[in-house]
């Protein structure tokens, strides 16, 4: 795969400043490619992890926000572990997803964003995931009502999904964490 020529975008300081404030030093990348070579799902990306880091270093918001890569990243941290400059590449991917959502941008993979929202909502309400409720919210947000209905019914039949949520004792503490993180 040949890498596209990348030039810094005009007015690209906003994203770069926020990445730096979050402790994510994308400028330290010297494009060795170890992150991309080790990524188990790179064949499914439109941009390799090293390309995402380069685009982030140049503050190329539009290109990053149109990329499917930031949404498909599994956050397995293989890339971060392999980076010789200790760049938290998985953290950059997380940051970019959150940045897109906080700026009201349409995700390139809307179902991944719907799952993300359903997951966080489940944690915020009960302190841990309630899979059945989370799946219902995901179905409602994504509009994918019957995509995996057979699997869900099979899991329910085998007792893998609880019908009643099992929350944590300190739900208020969990809620305070969400408020402090600005996710309210």
């Amino acid at each position: 795969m040949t890498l596209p020529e990348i030039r810094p975008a005009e007015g690209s300081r906003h994203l770069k400043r926020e990445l730096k404030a979050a402790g994510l030093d994308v400028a330290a990348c010297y494009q060795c490619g170890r992150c991309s070579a080790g990524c188990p799902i790179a064949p499914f990306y439109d941009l390799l992890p090293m390309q995402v880091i380069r685009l982030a270093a140049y503050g190329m918001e539009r290109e990053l926000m149109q990329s499917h890569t930031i949404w498909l990243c599994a956050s397995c941290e293989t890339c971060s572990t392999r980076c010789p400059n200790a760049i938290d590449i998985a953290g950059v991917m997380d940051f970019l997803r959150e940045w897109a959502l906080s700026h009201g941008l349409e995700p390139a993979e809307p179902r991944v964003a719907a799952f993300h929202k359903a997951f966080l909502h489940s944690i915020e309400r009960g302190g841990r995931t309630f899979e059945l409720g989370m799946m219902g919210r995901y179905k409602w947000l994504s509009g994918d009502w019957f995509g995996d209905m057979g699997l869900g019914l099979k899991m329910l039949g085998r007792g893998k999904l609880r019908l009643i949520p099992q929350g944590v004792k300190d739900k208020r503490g969990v809620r305070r964490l969400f408020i402090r993180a600005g996710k309210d």
Side-chain angles (χ1 to χ4, degrees), residues 25-33 35 49-51 53-54 57 83 85 87 89:
D25 184 16
V26 293
C29 177
Y30 56 77
Q31 297 287 291
C32 68
C35 56
M50 64 187 264
Q51 292 172 304
I53 298 303
R54 176 56 55 99
C83 181
N85 290 338
I87 299 170
I89 299 163

